Amino acid sequence: MEFDRRIRIAPSILSADFADFGREIAAIEAQGADWVHVDVMDGHFVPNLTFGPPAVRAFRKHVTTFMDVHLMIAPVDPYIEAYAEAGAEMIVAHVEAGPHIHRTLQAIRATGARAGVALNPGTSPEAVGYVLDLCDMVLVMSVNPGFGGQKFIPSSVEKIARLREMIGERPIHIQVDGGIDPVTAPLVAAAGADVLVAGSAVFKGGSVATPEVYGRAIRAIREAAEAAVR
Ligand code: DX5
Ligand code: ZN
């Protein structure tokens, strides 16, 4: 995958039908999703539980675009290899998940996967200043991680702008995750985010039987974001 800063939409399958992931992934991809975003939660780092490596391996078989796996788990190092082997193309770890994010990012890259670092809403952008050169992406959480459908936290916009400055010309994506819809998308895109995760805004009201609902939502988010960076 060549690097560029074109707007990418990454639906989070946390808001999909949990009994039908294969068809849900096919539906969002057919409807214009650029990436498939997988939220891994451990009931410890965040107050919710989701997918182990076998689930991610099963999703991978259906993904034809690009799968990024957002690990909201602590400790994270013991599980990196298993998620890489499961087929995660990008593995994202939280800077708050342990004392050794530098080592964690090295370990992710050692598997051959791309590496990302995530920041909770209360964490300042400077926390990742010394690991940017180990990263292919910085993920700015615009809600507290753990659940879909929460309200966008406005201070995320300023944080994205600061990170965009820090990154400069380096080939590092800025992903934003939480509360993204056609209203918030232009704010984060104008600040410098290029990969927009959206869960409830994509899946709400649709199903594999009415995938055009997903398509309309993906297009609305993309168009709103693109209009802000044009
Ligand atoms: C939250 C997850 C998000 C979540 C986003 O912990 O990291 O990816 O699914 O959901 P929405 O778009 O509904 O805020
Ligand atoms: Zn996520």
Side-chain angles (χ1 to χ4, degrees):
M1 193 180 58
E2 286 289 298
F3 181 85
D4 62 62
R5 293 194 189 284
R6 267 184 302 198
I7 297 292
R8 291 176 167 82
I9 309 297
S12 163
I13 59 169
L14 187 64
S15 294
D17 176 354
F18 272 39
D20 209 357
F21 280 118
R23 291 201 299 166
E24 289 279 45
I25 290 167
I28 52 173
E29 289 193 335
Q31 295 294 326
D34 298 290
W35 291 11
V36 175
H37 181 83
V38 178
D39 286 306
V40 172
M41 306 184 184
D42 68 350
H44 166 76
F45 181 67
V46 291
N48 197 1
L49 273 170
T50 59
F51 314 120
V56 171
R57 184 186 313 266
F59 304 153
R60 185 68 192 87
K61 295 195 191 105
H62 298 275
V63 174
T64 64
T65 54
F66 185 83
M67 181 170 73
D68 72 308
V69 176
H70 176 193
L71 298 180
M72 288 163 273
I73 67 176
V76 60
D77 293 6
Y79 301 100
I80 288 169
E81 255 183 62
Y83 282 101
E85 275 167 21
E89 291 166 283
M90 168 90 77
I91 298 179
V92 180
H94 269 262
V95 67
E96 306 86 359
H100 296 298
I101 189 64
H102 190 284
R103 176 184 293 148
T104 299
L105 292 166
Q106 287 178 319
I108 294 172
R109 281 209 165 154
T111 67
R114 287 157 208 259
V117 65
L119 297 135
N120 279 333
T123 303
S124 72
E126 278 67 29
V128 300
Y130 289 99
V131 294
L132 285 177
D133 289 321
L134 294 170
C135 287
D136 300 286
M137 185 169 83
V138 179
L139 190 179
V140 175
M141 286 304 305
S142 41
V143 298
N144 284 298
F147 304 95
Q150 303 180 80
K151 201 172 157 340
F152 180 80
I153 297 172
S155 59
S156 319
V157 174
E158 186 188 310
K159 192 188 294 187
I160 291 165
R162 174 69 188 127
L163 281 163
R164 187 67 196 83
E165 252 172 46
M166 289 166 66
I167 287 170
E169 293 308 307
R170 289 179 274 194
I172 302 172
H173 294 290
I174 298 180
Q175 183 178 59
V176 60
D177 185 3
I180 297 301
D181 60 22
V183 174
T184 54
L187 309 175
V188 297
D194 58 298
V195 185
L196 277 52
V197 175
S200 48
V202 167
F203 285 94
K204 210 164 86 192
S207 72
V208 295
T210 55
E212 64 281 1
V213 175
Y214 301 162
R216 272 199 294 274
I218 291 168
R219 271 196 306 281
I221 296 167
R222 189 193 305 283
E223 281 165 16
E226 283 176 349
V229 292
R230 220 171 266 141

